[in-house]
């Protein structure tokens, strides 16, 4: 009787441990499969970006032009020693819809101005930026758009400078690498004299 009762108790304890272990094992297996599938589909999503950039025509239409220099002069209280600053307006015509696909979360677009001078080999500033997260926002046309940020040179090198405007975009995916590109450059020569806010120079 003692043998049978001890065997029965041992069997019940073993079956309980087996059922407990089985539940943990099932949860572990389920979580492993879920994480593995998520990792696999994330990798496929990231690889699809390289497919689009390699085999699909994703060339956008971009045109950027200088509309006018609204104001051009010295910055700061000590205007003789201060930096030069220019406020400009732009003409933008862009269709970036070919860049949008299922792995694109958003596009960060901006217009830059760059020029060379004696003090610095290359100076570059951002004039305007925008975040695009839908196809409705990816096609736009602006004429006489005022720059969000001024064009500032550390010194006195903007007069008669050859300034290049460029349109840039950063592709931000849901998964994978970011891509950086630019297009639609235009070079203009800045005036030799400063411009007040009443007589802008049109281009």
């Amino acid at each position: 009787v003692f043998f049978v009762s001890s065997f029965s108790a041992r069997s019940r304890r073993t079956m309980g441990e087996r059922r407990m272990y089985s539940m943990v094992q099932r949860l572990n297996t389920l979580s492993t499969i879920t994480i593995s599938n998520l990792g696999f589909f994330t990798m496929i999503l990231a690889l699809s970006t390289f497919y689009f950039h390699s085999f699909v025509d994703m060339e956008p239409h971009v045109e950027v032009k200088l509309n006018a220099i609204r104001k051009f002069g010295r910055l700061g209280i000590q205007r003789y020693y201060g930096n030069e600053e220019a406020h400009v307006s732009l003409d933008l015509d862009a269709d970036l819809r070919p860049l949008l696909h299922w792995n694109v979360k958003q596009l960060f677009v901006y217009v830059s101005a760059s020029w060379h001078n004696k003090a610095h080999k290359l100076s570059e500033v951002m004039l305007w930026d925008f975040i695009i997260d839908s196809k409705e926002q990816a096609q736009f046309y602006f004429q006489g758009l005022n720059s969000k940020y001024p064009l500032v040179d550390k010194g006195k090198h903007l007069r008669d400078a050859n300034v290049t405007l460029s349109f840039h975009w950063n592709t931000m995916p849901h998964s994978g690498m970011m891509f950086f590109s630019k297009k639609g450059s235009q070079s203009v020569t800045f005036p030799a004299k400063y411009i007040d806010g009443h007589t802008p120079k049109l281009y």
Side-chain angles (χ1 to χ4, degrees):
V1 176
F2 174 77
F3 174 77
V4 173
S5 61
S6 61
F7 176 77
S8 300
R10 192 183 306 114
S11 299
R12 286 194 299 269
R13 186 168 59 252
T14 304
M15 292 177 63
E17 291 176 354
R18 185 176 301 169
R19 283 196 298 268
M20 198 69 180
Y21 176 76
S22 178
M23 181 61 69
V24 173
Q25 186 180 28
R26 290 175 183 177
L27 291 175
N28 184 43
T29 303
L30 181 61
S31 62
T32 302
I33 294 175
T34 303
I35 294 174
S36 300
N37 288 335
L38 286 175
F40 174 76
F41 286 113
T42 301
M43 182 184 65
I44 294 298
L45 193 64
L47 291 176
S48 68
T49 303
F50 292 96
Y51 168 78
F52 275 101
H53 282 267
S54 301
F55 302 104
V56 178
D57 184 12
M58 300 177 59
E59 190 68 19
H61 167 74
V62 174
E63 289 185 10
V64 55
K65 296 180 180 179
L66 181 64
N67 177 276
I69 299 178
R70 301 294 179 184
K71 189 176 181 180
F72 178 33
R74 289 295 177 87
L75 175 67
I77 299 176
Q78 297 178 341
R79 295 189 177 275
Y80 182 79
Y81 300 100
N83 300 323
E84 289 179 331
E85 179 185 59
H87 295 264
V88 303
S89 58
L90 307 169
D91 292 338
L92 291 179
D93 185 10
D95 185 1
L96 307 177
R97 291 176 296 177
L99 299 175
L100 298 176
H101 52 80
W102 63 66
N103 193 30
V104 175
K105 181 180 181 180
Q106 61 186 18
L107 298 174
F108 176 71
V109 300
Y110 63 96
V111 176
S112 70
S114 59
W115 65 98
H116 295 269
N117 55 50
K118 296 180 181 179
H120 309 281
K121 292 184 178 180
L122 177 64
S123 296
E124 186 172 17
V125 297
M126 183 185 299
L127 300 177
W128 176 85
D129 60 357
F130 187 62
I131 294 177
I132 297 172
D133 54 15
S134 66
K135 284 197 173 184
E136 289 75 17
Q137 297 175 325
Q139 186 179 19
F140 52 85
Y141 174 74
F142 300 115
Q143 186 174 14
L145 176 68
N146 290 328
S147 60
K148 294 174 66 174
Y149 315 106
L151 196 160
V152 179
D153 179 78
K154 292 184 177 180
K156 299 174 287 185
H157 311 287
L158 270 179
R159 284 175 294 178
D160 280 329
N162 186 26
V163 178
T164 300
L165 302 179
S166 301
F167 186 91
H168 306 251
W169 65 89
N170 299 351
T171 305
M172 302 181 183
H174 292 285
S175 174
M177 294 179 57
M178 294 177 58
F179 290 88
F180 303 85
S181 302
K182 70 176 182 176
K183 191 181 179 182
S185 298
Q186 183 206 23
S187 295
V188 296
T189 301
F190 259 55
K193 297 181 179 180
Y194 293 139
I195 300 171
D196 58 27
H198 303 288
T199 57
K201 179 178 176 56
L202 302 178
Y203 283 82

